[in-house]
Amino acid sequence: MTDVTLAPALAEIRDDFLGLEQPDRLQLLLEFSNELPELPERYRDHPDLFERVVECQSPVFIFVEVDEHDVVHLFATAPRESPTTRGFASILAQGLAGLTAAEVLAVPDDYPQMLGLTQAVSPLRIRGMSALLGRTKRQVREKIAAA
């Protein structure tokens, strides 16, 4: 996989993880969990818009918006007591921020494995992050088709 197909923010996040030893990678994941962006006020009272990512062990909900400039916005909720899952949601929310729909759809499906966390977290948790990315892409495709 080359950086040509990986958006700069996602490449930087990947490089940050790979530049650390395993225990420090978990610490970075915990830091990301504390940085999950808050929901905009317009969505706080509309849980009906959010899709549950059932592959995640913890209750994670996402909603994707594609604006008039074709820029994708990923909104996610995850409980604070589930820092791994919350960290994964935060990585995607931050890493995809500002990307166009085409750029989001071009993110490699194996991006979660690129972070070097496969020895630090369970395969089930990696599968959950892969599902977060997959559902995000599906919602982007649906928004494009509906426009």
Side-chain angles (χ1 to χ4, degrees):
M1 194 55 46
T2 64
D3 285 338
V4 174
T5 60
L6 199 56
L10 291 172
E12 182 178 337
I13 291 169
R14 179 207 54 207
D15 293 346
D16 287 347
F17 274 97
L18 295 179
L20 299 171
E21 298 296 323
Q22 286 294 331
D24 295 328
R25 289 178 191 173
L26 281 177
Q27 183 58 42
L28 182 56
L29 185 60
L30 292 177
E31 290 173 21
F32 269 101
S33 76
N34 292 325
E35 298 170 359
L36 180 65
E38 292 291 324
L39 293 179
E41 194 168 326
R42 68 184 180 275
Y43 292 132
R44 287 188 193 139
D45 296 327
H46 293 284
D48 53 304
L49 295 174
F50 286 75
E51 174 182 3
R52 176 149 189 199
V53 181
V54 295
E55 294 86 350
C56 290
Q57 292 178 309
S58 303
V60 177
F61 296 86
I62 65 166
F63 178 73
V64 171
E65 185 178 84
V66 179
D67 70 20
E68 65 275 4
H69 303 290
D70 200 39
V71 174
V72 172
H73 306 276
L74 171 64
F75 305 102
T77 65
R80 289 203 175 274
E81 55 275 3
S82 302
T84 303
T85 305
R86 188 175 169 84
F88 285 152
S90 180
I91 288 168
L92 288 180
Q94 293 181 53
L96 300 178
L99 298 184
T100 65
E103 290 169 326
V104 170
L105 294 174
V107 172
D109 292 337
D110 64 347
Y111 179 75
Q113 290 81 5
M114 293 179 182
L115 299 178
L117 290 167
T118 55
Q119 294 178 353
V121 299
S122 72
L124 193 57
R125 296 219 184 264
I126 297 292
R127 192 183 89 183
M129 185 179 184
S130 296
L132 277 165
L133 178 58
R135 288 174 185 271
T136 298
K137 288 180 165 187
R138 193 200 76 241
Q139 284 192 26
V140 167
R141 285 190 294 274
E142 288 172 354
K143 303 287 182 185
I144 292 170

